[in-house]
Amino acid sequence: MATGGALAFAGDVIAQSLLSKEEEKSIPPKDWDVIRTNAFVVFGALYTGGAQHFIFNYLNNSFDEPLARLGMAQFFFIPFCYYPTFLFMTPALRAGWEFGFGSEEAKTRQNQLFSEVASKIPPTLLRNWCFWLPVQFVQFNYIPAELNVTFTAAFGVIWNAILSWSTAAGTAEKEA
């Protein structure tokens, strides 16, 4: 779980550094949104670092064919587990940390963030397939089962930057 959280941290900080409006680029950027990074860290720790271990064990134990494991991972678990978890968890955490969990301001902010993130899920899912289908093709065909989580974690920092960038890109433009 710590690895999943650390990778989410790195990916979000990289994405925010690349998207920063500051003239002098730095890591982390001067306009770093720490609350956003914290939400990504919690999601990364729980889903990437926790749930993925059980998902990969299930896939490897239930399906002999690598393409069946790939299909289940990308066309079942990602759209029906990963993105719904992301969609509900990150807005709730960000809003709660910004305004206090359970407050009216937090509920309003959560709804706003939920709408923003939900509108970006379809294009992000397409990016997901472009990135992860080849990565997981290699994973399920050539990487030993006991190294599946480690293998995907290595690519996870790149994906977390893509996910962070793709869910934040429109928000930064609206604020300008």
Side-chain angles (χ1 to χ4, degrees), residues 1-134:
M1 288 178 68
T3 301
L7 291 171
F9 175 85
D12 188 59
V13 169
I14 290 168
Q16 286 193 50
S17 297
L18 294 173
L19 289 170
S20 176
K21 293 180 183 177
E22 298 291 325
E23 284 189 31
E24 184 180 320
K25 298 294 182 184
S26 63
I27 296 179
K30 291 178 183 173
D31 55 352
W32 182 23
D33 183 348
V34 176
I35 291 174
R36 184 181 107 173
T37 299
N38 288 340
F40 267 88
V41 168
V42 171
F43 173 77
L46 294 177
Y47 190 90
T48 306
Q52 251 183 359
H53 172 78
F54 298 103
I55 290 169
F56 289 154
N57 279 344
Y58 168 77
L59 292 173
N60 287 317
N61 292 329
S62 300
F63 300 96
D64 293 329
E65 290 297 317
L67 287 178
R69 293 191 294 261
L70 175 64
M72 284 296 293
Q74 286 300 313
F75 300 109
F76 177 74
F77 284 105
I78 294 302
F80 299 111
C81 296
Y82 180 84
Y83 282 113
T85 303
F86 180 80
L87 181 61
F88 288 104
M89 182 180 282
T90 55
L93 291 172
R94 285 185 65 186
W97 285 325
E98 287 174 4
F99 296 102
F101 291 95
S103 71
E104 285 303 314
E105 294 90 354
K107 291 174 188 174
T108 301
R109 178 70 170 142
Q110 181 178 349
N111 289 335
Q112 175 194 11
L113 290 168
F114 180 89
S115 295
E116 289 175 13
V117 173
S119 70
K120 296 171 186 171
I121 294 295
T124 304
L125 183 58
L126 293 176
R127 287 184 191 102
N128 175 91
W129 288 331
C130 290
F131 182 83
W132 283 109
L133 281 170

